[in-house]
């Protein structure tokens, strides 16, 4: 390797470290649902009487079968930490290769990568960046493979590019829909430049590889909702549980403003040599957004369920790449219109910083970057690109360092893989001291109890997301939530009091043996089987009959 290659490798390794230091945790967010699926795939006796597991047939993806196999060779903490490292490395490699393919060998990829280290909450929709979730998530892998697939298509490797696009359906269909649109527009726009064999072969391989995902769903899609399905109630539930993901009319105005800014920025770069080659990505994203709006206007249930706006951040990735290239290669002074792109780049980069819990760090970064722009604008130093890159890197180091220090102070660890919180402690106790098939009543407002207990639970509000795709469980789940006091529209702040008010009576009515209380809200009515500083678990058979109405 020559010096330049060593420097590139060092930068890539540095971005890997910065990305993983942004944070890692196991058993939270979407992963709390995925872990339940993994445990059941690993051992069908686990969680087999959990209502959530009944939704597996409505999610024809196969990644959790593969992850379950890994549990035969390592424990769950090691497997998911390793997968997190792999997805981060894959995302960094994809961003690097994507930029180099469309913008050449210059340092603009450094600006793009720095932007994506901090960018986790897209201004319009979804999670994006090098470490957007803080845990292993198939969406990150899907975005990386979509970028790599488009690189292959741009190089003329139609069969391999189509195969990669099709493979995304097997583990994250929402992102796969975007990849399919990118492939489709690339196929149409390049129709005259490809042979008949390439056109037919690439389309066939795409459909063949993706078939295990969409083919089982085709009869249900064609059949539509059965007559007894209460569509109006379903709409009320999804508006409450996933309104921003399903309904364009529920978006707050700033999402449309940011999309407008992204569209304006991309239009400005329409004469850039890379624009036409990236047009399928832009057109694919805009098509998905248009269908997202139409699904809301005409209330098309199937299109609503596709969450067609969740990957709109592809516009921001492409725009940031254009901005990064402009910054890295222009000979203009910062007093030119380039300052607009510097500002836009910062707007997209600091989205995660704006959401940061620590006000001091947020203000330091915002003020620091603003002062840097003022300095570049007025002083016009010769090496202003290097100064801008150094300032952006300083902002990344500041925020990453603050998060790392805070995490170490709270947990004593860089990677939160051990089970030390009271919530996790209660799960571990249940895994060791309750029957495998025991159904537990757990607080509906706290997610992830299945993650380490490996025990079925009555349900949580979080379960509403997968149930939205299941005709056979959605209303059963809602009946359970209603039994615990929820009504439409619900108020999340009221969940703790409602749960503790109704948990005992619901447990007795459904022969649920174990009930968990949060002690700061309500004390257990009998001596607990086990308790820690925050939670207690007790048995309903130990209660006198009169306790059922308490």
């Amino acid at each position: 390797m020559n010096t330049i290659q060593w420097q590139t490798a060092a930068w890539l390794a540095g971005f890997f470290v910065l990305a993983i230091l942004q944070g890692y945790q196991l058993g939270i967010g979407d992963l709390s649902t995925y872990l339940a699926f993994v445990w059941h795939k690993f051992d069908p006796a686990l969680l087999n009487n959990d209502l959530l597991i009944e939704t597996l047939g409505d999610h024809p993806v196969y990644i959790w079968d593969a992850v379950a196999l890994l549990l035969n060779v390592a424990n769950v903490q090691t497997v998911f930490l390793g997968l997190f490292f792999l997805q981060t490395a894959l995302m960094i490699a994809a961003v690097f290769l994507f930029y180099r393919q469309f913008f050449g060998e210059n340092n603009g990829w450094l600006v793009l990568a720095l932007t994506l280290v901090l960018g986790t909450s897209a201004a319009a929709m979804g999670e994006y960046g090098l470490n957007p979730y803080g845990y292993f998530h198939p969406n990150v892998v899907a975005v990386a493979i979509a970028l790599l697939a488009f690189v292959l298509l741009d190089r003329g490797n139609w069969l391999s590019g189509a195969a990669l696009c099709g493979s995304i359906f097997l583990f994250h269909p929402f992102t796969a829909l975007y990849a399919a649109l990118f492939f489709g527009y690339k196929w149409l726009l390049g129709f005259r430049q490809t042979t008949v064999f390439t056109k037919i072969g690439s389309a066939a391989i795409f459909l063949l590889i993706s078939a295990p995902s969409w083919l089982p769903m085709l009869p249900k899609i064609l059949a539509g909702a059965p007559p007894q399905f209460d569509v109006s109630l379903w709409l009320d539930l999804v508006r409450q549980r996933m309104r921003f993901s399903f309904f364009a009319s529920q978006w707050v105005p700033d999402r449309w403003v940011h999309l407008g800014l992204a569209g304006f920025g991309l239009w400005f770069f329409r004469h850039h040599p890379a624009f036409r080659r990236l047009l399928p990505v832009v057109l694919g994203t805009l098509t998905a957004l248009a269908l997202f709006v139409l699904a809301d206007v005409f209330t098309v249930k199937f299109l609503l369920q596709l969450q067609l706006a969740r990957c709109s951040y592809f516009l921001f990735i492409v725009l940031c790449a254009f901005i990064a290239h402009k910054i890295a290669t222009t000979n203009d002074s910062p007093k030119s219109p380039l300052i607009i792109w510097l500002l836009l780049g910062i707007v997209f980069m600091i989205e995660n910083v704006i959401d940061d819990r620590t006000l001091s760090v947020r203000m330091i970064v915002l003020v620091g970057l603003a002062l840097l722009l003022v300095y570049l604008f007025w002083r016009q130093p010769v090496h202003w690109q290097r100064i801008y890159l150094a300032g952006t890197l300083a902002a990344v180091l500041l925020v990453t360092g603050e998060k790392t220090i805070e995490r170490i102070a709270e947990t004593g660890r860089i990677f939160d893989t051990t089970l030390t919180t009271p919530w996790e402690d209660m799960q571990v106790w249940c895994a060791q001291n309750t029957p495998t098939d025991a159904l537990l009543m757990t607080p509906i407002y706290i997610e992830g109890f299945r993650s380490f207990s490996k025990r079925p639970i009555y349900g949580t509000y979080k379960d509403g997301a997968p149930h939205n795709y299941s005709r056979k469980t959605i209303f059963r789940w809602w009946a359970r939530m209603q039994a615990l006091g929820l009504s439409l529209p619900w108020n999340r702040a009221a969940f703790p009091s409602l749960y503790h008010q109704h948990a005992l009576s619901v447990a007795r009515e459904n022969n649920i043996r174990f009930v968990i209380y949060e002690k700061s809200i309500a004390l257990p009515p009998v001596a607990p089987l086990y308790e820690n500083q925050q939670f207690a678990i007790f048995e309903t058979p130990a209660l006198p009959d009169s306790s059922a109405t308490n």
Side-chain angles (χ1 to χ4, degrees), residues 98-99 103 108 111-112 115-116 128 257-270 272 275 278 281-282 312-327 340-345 347-348:
F98 176 80
Y99 183 89
F103 298 97
V111 179
L112 176 61
T115 302
L116 295 180
Y128 80 118
V257 170
H258 278 79
L259 276 175
L261 285 172
F264 167 76
L266 288 168
W267 178 253
F268 180 89
F269 287 108
R270 65 189 183 278
H272 192 286
F275 184 82
L278 287 167
V281 177
V282 177
S312 60
Y313 48 71
F314 274 108
L315 289 182
F316 297 94
I317 294 175
V318 172
L319 177 57
C320 285
F322 276 116
I323 293 172
H325 181 252
K326 179 76 171 176
I327 291 170
I340 297 174
W341 309 118
L342 291 170
L343 286 168
L344 272 176
V347 166
F348 297 135

Side-chain angles (χ1 to χ4, degrees), residues 115-116 118-129 244 250-263 289 309-317 319-320 344-355:
T115 302
L116 295 180
L118 288 183
T120 65
S121 299
M125 193 66 206
E127 307 286 336
Y128 80 118
F244 296 128
Q250 300 296 310
W251 274 19
V252 291
D254 70 304
R255 296 189 176 197
W256 297 110
V257 170
H258 278 79
L259 276 175
L261 285 172
L289 286 169
R310 68 174 293 147
C311 296
S312 60
Y313 48 71
F314 274 108
L315 289 182
F316 297 94
I317 294 175
L319 177 57
C320 285
L344 272 176
I346 288 176
V347 166
F348 297 135
M349 185 192 73
I350 64 175
E351 186 67 22
N352 185 43
V353 181
I354 291 174
D355 292 337

